[in-house]
Amino acid sequence: MNSKAPGRIAGSKDLWSGLIFIAFGLLAMALARGYAMGHAGRMGPGYFPTALGGVLACIGLVLIVQAVLSSGEVITGFAWRKAALVLVASGLFGVTVEGLGLAPSTALLVMISGLASEQFRLWRFLALAVGLSAFSVLTFITLLSLPIPAFGPWLGF
Amino acid sequence: MELFDNLALGFSTAFTLTNLFYCLIGTILGTAVGVLPGLGPLATIAMLLPATFALPPVTALIMLSGIYYGAQYGGSTTAILVNLPGESSSIVTALDGYAMARNGEAGKALATAALGSFFAGCAATLLLALFAPPLAVVALTFGPAEYFSLMVLGLVASVVLANGSVLKAVGMIVLGLLLGLIGLDVNSGIPRFTFGMPQLYDGVNFVVVAMGVFGLGEIIHNLEQGAARSIISRKIGELMPTRADLKRIVAPVLRGTFLGSALGILPGGGAMLASFAAYALEKKVSPNRAQFGKGAIEGVAAPEAANNAGAQTSFVPMLTLGIPSNPVMALMVGAMVIQGIQPGPAVLTEQPTLFWGIVASMWIGNVFLVLLNLPLIGLWARMIMVPYHYLFPTILVFCAIGVFSLSNSTFDIVLMVGFGFFGYLCAKLGMEPAPMLLGFIIGPMMEEYLRRALLLSRSDPMVFLQRPISAAMLAIAALLLVLVLLPSLQKKRAEAFQE
Amino acid sequence: MHRIIKVVALAAILATPAKAAETIKLLVPFAAGGPTDLFARIIAPDLGKELGGTVIVENRGGAGGTIGTAAATREKADGRTLLLTTSALVLSAGTMASVPYDAQRDVEPVYLLGEVQTMIAVRPSLGVNDLKGLVEKAKGTKLNYGSTGSGGTMHLGAELFAKSAKVAMEQIAYRGAAPALTDLIAGSVDLVNADVPILRQYVKDGRLKGLVIFDTKRSALLPEIPSATEAGMPDLMLTNWYGVLMPKGASTAQKQKIADAIAKVVKQPQIAAKLADNGLENPQDTAAFKARLDADFARWLPWLKANGIRAE
């Protein structure tokens, strides 16, 4: 107990979990104010969310108390760059798949997310990108006939 | 005996060359779409429906059912290999299956899933053949009150899923319940938590959440470890369970089959709980419960058995009452209608070849699935030897295409990215996503049944205790809650004494 | 590994179809597997043949059909985008606070595949044998009816009866018709108004009692049930239509060409039989469809407003 420096609390997993729960709980309760509450016997659309939000916020509060009282695990560093690359690559796929078509979007997704790996080698990943594009066109368009173009209107198709 | 006559009729129908062929096609296709995350049996069956118009009714339905239970089967493969549960039922399979794969036991996990599913499929089919009409009556005794109590029971059981802090798990469940409420409220038609976006009116799709939290979140978490996780596993290990393993899974498979069969009969969402319930049960009664979450073979065998048994028995309400228990079954009803057959009790008496033919084909289909999947296991298991830096972009591609194909919308992908970020955050903070997903599935049903039961009872809350089945389930839930909380309370006290 | 990739790449390039002569997108604003999707998939292959191209069914479900319809309104009216939708087009315009298009202007009717009649069915244990009996019963006790939520046709049908009989009933909302019917058969709900084809089997085998068809004429599927006109409550009129529309701005000739192609397809005996099995009858050409749409808007928008049926 006595070995806890303030920095330990600030980086505590329980503390931040608690804060997240409180944030979501309060958000749910705040939004639910716009919906009719009703009462226990005849619940309106706001009843259940308000109750759940309250429970969630309470759980968050207990977690924070726990974090302050006992030494829990500490968060290790975030890999922001890798996270951003993976997330942006995936999002970009969604934005481009209809315009560029499945094949180029798949290749883009592979190349950009590949940058998140230390083992990224341009030519190998290009080969992977081409292979996966071909595979997905074959599987999803030729075999499963999903309504997505292989090459989209932005490329003049 | 009449049953044997019926089964003979069924097998003579199912064993024609045409029907065997389409059964095989159905199971292969089902496995394929099950393996691919996102693309579920529903979309596949809808797409293939026109192609079945030209087929005789029995053949068409044999193929379509093959897709359905084949997909349940294939779903476990990606869950085990790369921790991607494409169906709600494979979430729990991923818990211990993926852990096994990381321990170099991918082959064993896949084989266990296959064998467990096979046994459960056969047992449930027999159950279907023996008791379908009386079982259908059970389905009707479940009203809103019973379903609400069942959901409460499921919710309490989901706490058991957690490996870490019980409190955090409960928080994640509640968060999941809230996420499940996104969308139009069934009773009032008011949109809740939609921030004015019509894309959210029908709620968030399960696949979006699962692919985000499990797929993207896990990938980022793995990449962060860098070289330490350059491949998921360095060894393939044994492909088949040993005799000792088989001994360990007999009881879990039997329990899983029983639970899955029972829950699958209930049209109001029972089958969805089957694998969760089986896992929770094993984690409480298994002698190896300490190993759960770290690669316990029981944690794969039981939910897989339950899931497959549930998939088979969910045909009961459809075939005997004409009531579809899930969207796939609704589509099957549509397929029957197009073929000029009205589903309902009359199917059994007026179309015995159809009913018994489908039942027999399910058994044959299960044989196909095992024959198809066991030789593939070696290949699959080798897949995780692929260096992770090649594997993760591949997983991303399948996640993205799968999610996009749900409703051809960019919005879903953006949402998946959001959940991916949240999933990464959860991994960093030790918040387990599995209980959240269960809450997400149960949330809307629970609220709906609660409000409906109270509306129908004219606001009398005693309805949950006056109806015997409902009261029994609430009692079990209370008991389970005590069982779950006791160990953690004792631990607290032990800790307190130590200090 | 590399060789495999090359082979797959080559195969894919060969398999990638050259830009198709004509790909026509048939947008279905509901999820795959529902009745609208079913109808789309029944007509799609032959419609492609008639129009000299391929018709691809694309599901854009969500928000009562408004998301898919909005997607259709953003496309060009060049005949390469068609929309197959239902009466929900009218109802969502009347019940949703904001719909991102003008339902009466941004899409134009092309061809009406047909209409499905609706009817009231009750649980047999209610002890009611005809519409008159139901009115009396409803005056004595507050009855429950199952629906698919506010603004759906099951809601409107039941409320239409309630207003017409001057009684109050309690709505029990479900996600979809199937669970509502389960509770009706199990006896926890008293009645529903729903499409005839989905009620047919239960009425035939006696697990439900059919009381009245919401139309001027009886149903071919259940000919023993009286029509609303016969039963003496002629304002109980509610049929669901399924029709093909286009983004606004197509020329009359273009619409005519597509309408002719659809008409040819739905009149093929095999397809006609499949549609009829699902209760779809009485296909109508562009002009008749237009008249039907206008009449629907004129009838339902004020009615929904007057009865306060609005889903934010």
PDB file of all heavy atoms in Angstrom, chain C residues 151-165:
ATOM      1  N   GLY C 151     -46.119   2.705 -36.823  1.00  0.00           N
ATOM      2  CA  GLY C 151     -45.953   3.095 -38.213  1.00  0.00           C
ATOM      3  C   GLY C 151     -45.888   1.934 -39.173  1.00  0.00           C
ATOM      4  O   GLY C 151     -45.883   2.137 -40.381  1.00  0.00           O
ATOM      5  N   GLY C 152     -45.831   0.716 -38.666  1.00  0.00           N
ATOM      6  CA  GLY C 152     -45.869  -0.449 -39.549  1.00  0.00           C
ATOM      7  C   GLY C 152     -47.299  -0.742 -39.947  1.00  0.00           C
ATOM      8  O   GLY C 152     -48.246  -0.227 -39.336  1.00  0.00           O
ATOM      9  N   THR C 153     -47.477  -1.577 -40.973  1.00  0.00           N
ATOM     10  CA  THR C 153     -48.855  -1.819 -41.412  1.00  0.00           C
ATOM     11  C   THR C 153     -49.648  -2.615 -40.384  1.00  0.00           C
ATOM     12  O   THR C 153     -50.859  -2.479 -40.301  1.00  0.00           O
ATOM     13  CB  THR C 153     -48.894  -2.559 -42.756  1.00  0.00           C
ATOM     14  OG1 THR C 153     -48.228  -3.804 -42.610  1.00  0.00           O
ATOM     15  CG2 THR C 153     -48.251  -1.751 -43.847  1.00  0.00           C
ATOM     16  N   MET C 154     -48.985  -3.436 -39.571  1.00  0.00           N
ATOM     17  CA  MET C 154     -49.734  -4.180 -38.556  1.00  0.00           C
ATOM     18  C   MET C 154     -50.303  -3.219 -37.512  1.00  0.00           C
ATOM     19  O   MET C 154     -51.378  -3.444 -36.968  1.00  0.00           O
ATOM     20  CB  MET C 154     -48.828  -5.223 -37.881  1.00  0.00           C
ATOM     21  CG  MET C 154     -48.553  -6.423 -38.772  1.00  0.00           C
ATOM     22  SD  MET C 154     -47.356  -7.571 -38.048  1.00  0.00           S
ATOM     23  CE  MET C 154     -48.371  -8.460 -36.868  1.00  0.00           C
ATOM     24  N   HIS C 155     -49.554  -2.161 -37.244  1.00  0.00           N
ATOM     25  CA  HIS C 155     -50.022  -1.127 -36.326  1.00  0.00           C
ATOM     26  C   HIS C 155     -51.203  -0.378 -36.945  1.00  0.00           C
ATOM     27  O   HIS C 155     -52.257  -0.210 -36.330  1.00  0.00           O
ATOM     28  CB  HIS C 155     -48.848  -0.187 -36.027  1.00  0.00           C
ATOM     29  CG  HIS C 155     -49.194   0.979 -35.162  1.00  0.00           C
ATOM     30  ND1 HIS C 155     -48.489   2.151 -35.207  1.00  0.00           N
ATOM     31  CD2 HIS C 155     -50.166   1.169 -34.237  1.00  0.00           C
ATOM     32  CE1 HIS C 155     -49.021   3.010 -34.350  1.00  0.00           C
ATOM     33  NE2 HIS C 155     -50.031   2.428 -33.735  1.00  0.00           N
ATOM     34  N   LEU C 156     -51.013   0.059 -38.207  1.00  0.00           N
ATOM     35  CA  LEU C 156     -52.066   0.825 -38.862  1.00  0.00           C
ATOM     36  C   LEU C 156     -53.346   0.019 -39.004  1.00  0.00           C
ATOM     37  O   LEU C 156     -54.441   0.525 -38.754  1.00  0.00           O
ATOM     38  CB  LEU C 156     -51.610   1.256 -40.261  1.00  0.00           C
ATOM     39  CG  LEU C 156     -50.457   2.231 -40.319  1.00  0.00           C
ATOM     40  CD1 LEU C 156     -50.355   2.813 -41.708  1.00  0.00           C
ATOM     41  CD2 LEU C 156     -50.637   3.328 -39.301  1.00  0.00           C
ATOM     42  N   GLY C 157     -53.205  -1.262 -39.400  1.00  0.00           N
ATOM     43  CA  GLY C 157     -54.380  -2.098 -39.603  1.00  0.00           C
ATOM     44  C   GLY C 157     -55.194  -2.225 -38.323  1.00  0.00           C
ATOM     45  O   GLY C 157     -56.418  -2.077 -38.336  1.00  0.00           O
ATOM     46  N   ALA C 158     -54.497  -2.471 -37.217  1.00  0.00           N
ATOM     47  CA  ALA C 158     -55.193  -2.637 -35.948  1.00  0.00           C
ATOM     48  C   ALA C 158     -55.821  -1.314 -35.499  1.00  0.00           C
ATOM     49  O   ALA C 158     -56.960  -1.282 -35.023  1.00  0.00           O
ATOM     50  CB  ALA C 158     -54.232  -3.169 -34.891  1.00  0.00           C
ATOM     51  N   GLU C 159     -55.080  -0.219 -35.682  1.00  0.00           N
ATOM     52  CA  GLU C 159     -55.621   1.077 -35.267  1.00  0.00           C
ATOM     53  C   GLU C 159     -56.791   1.501 -36.156  1.00  0.00           C
ATOM     54  O   GLU C 159     -57.726   2.173 -35.706  1.00  0.00           O
ATOM     55  CB  GLU C 159     -54.523   2.149 -35.294  1.00  0.00           C
ATOM     56  CG  GLU C 159     -53.561   2.070 -34.114  1.00  0.00           C
ATOM     57  CD  GLU C 159     -54.266   2.186 -32.760  1.00  0.00           C
ATOM     58  OE1 GLU C 159     -55.216   2.992 -32.636  1.00  0.00           O
ATOM     59  OE2 GLU C 159     -53.875   1.465 -31.814  1.00  0.00           O
ATOM     60  N   LEU C 160     -56.705   1.118 -37.434  1.00  0.00           N
ATOM     61  CA  LEU C 160     -57.806   1.391 -38.352  1.00  0.00           C
ATOM     62  C   LEU C 160     -59.090   0.761 -37.811  1.00  0.00           C
ATOM     63  O   LEU C 160     -60.157   1.386 -37.776  1.00  0.00           O
ATOM     64  CB  LEU C 160     -57.453   0.786 -39.720  1.00  0.00           C
ATOM     65  CG  LEU C 160     -58.067   1.387 -40.977  1.00  0.00           C
ATOM     66  CD1 LEU C 160     -57.811   2.869 -41.051  1.00  0.00           C
ATOM     67  CD2 LEU C 160     -57.467   0.696 -42.209  1.00  0.00           C
ATOM     68  N   PHE C 161     -58.965  -0.474 -37.349  1.00  0.00           N
ATOM     69  CA  PHE C 161     -60.110  -1.168 -36.757  1.00  0.00           C
ATOM     70  C   PHE C 161     -60.549  -0.463 -35.481  1.00  0.00           C
ATOM     71  O   PHE C 161     -61.743  -0.216 -35.262  1.00  0.00           O
ATOM     72  CB  PHE C 161     -59.762  -2.632 -36.458  1.00  0.00           C
ATOM     73  CG  PHE C 161     -60.751  -3.310 -35.563  1.00  0.00           C
ATOM     74  CD1 PHE C 161     -61.976  -3.728 -36.061  1.00  0.00           C
ATOM     75  CD2 PHE C 161     -60.481  -3.496 -34.213  1.00  0.00           C
ATOM     76  CE1 PHE C 161     -62.916  -4.330 -35.240  1.00  0.00           C
ATOM     77  CE2 PHE C 161     -61.412  -4.090 -33.384  1.00  0.00           C
ATOM     78  CZ  PHE C 161     -62.631  -4.507 -33.892  1.00  0.00           C
ATOM     79  N   ALA C 162     -59.580  -0.119 -34.633  1.00  0.00           N
ATOM     80  CA  ALA C 162     -59.923   0.502 -33.350  1.00  0.00           C
ATOM     81  C   ALA C 162     -60.687   1.806 -33.561  1.00  0.00           C
ATOM     82  O   ALA C 162     -61.708   2.061 -32.918  1.00  0.00           O
ATOM     83  CB  ALA C 162     -58.646   0.738 -32.535  1.00  0.00           C
ATOM     84  N   LYS C 163     -60.195   2.641 -34.508  1.00  0.00           N
ATOM     85  CA  LYS C 163     -60.851   3.923 -34.761  1.00  0.00           C
ATOM     86  C   LYS C 163     -62.242   3.703 -35.350  1.00  0.00           C
ATOM     87  O   LYS C 163     -63.201   4.359 -34.975  1.00  0.00           O
ATOM     88  CB  LYS C 163     -60.005   4.755 -35.737  1.00  0.00           C
ATOM     89  CG  LYS C 163     -58.642   5.154 -35.182  1.00  0.00           C
ATOM     90  CD  LYS C 163     -58.765   6.244 -34.151  1.00  0.00           C
ATOM     91  CE  LYS C 163     -57.522   6.538 -33.341  1.00  0.00           C
ATOM     92  NZ  LYS C 163     -56.623   5.474 -32.942  1.00  0.00           N
ATOM     93  N   SER C 164     -62.312   2.737 -36.260  1.00  0.00           N
ATOM     94  CA  SER C 164     -63.569   2.477 -36.943  1.00  0.00           C
ATOM     95  C   SER C 164     -64.618   1.928 -35.971  1.00  0.00           C
ATOM     96  O   SER C 164     -65.793   2.273 -36.046  1.00  0.00           O
ATOM     97  CB  SER C 164     -63.299   1.493 -38.075  1.00  0.00           C
ATOM     98  OG  SER C 164     -64.449   1.273 -38.808  1.00  0.00           O
ATOM     99  N   ALA C 165     -64.178   1.072 -35.046  1.00  0.00           N
ATOM    100  CA  ALA C 165     -65.112   0.486 -34.080  1.00  0.00           C
ATOM    101  C   ALA C 165     -65.256   1.358 -32.841  1.00  0.00           C
ATOM    102  O   ALA C 165     -66.008   1.030 -31.932  1.00  0.00           O
ATOM    103  CB  ALA C 165     -64.621  -0.906 -33.685  1.00  0.00           C
TER     104      ALA C 165
END
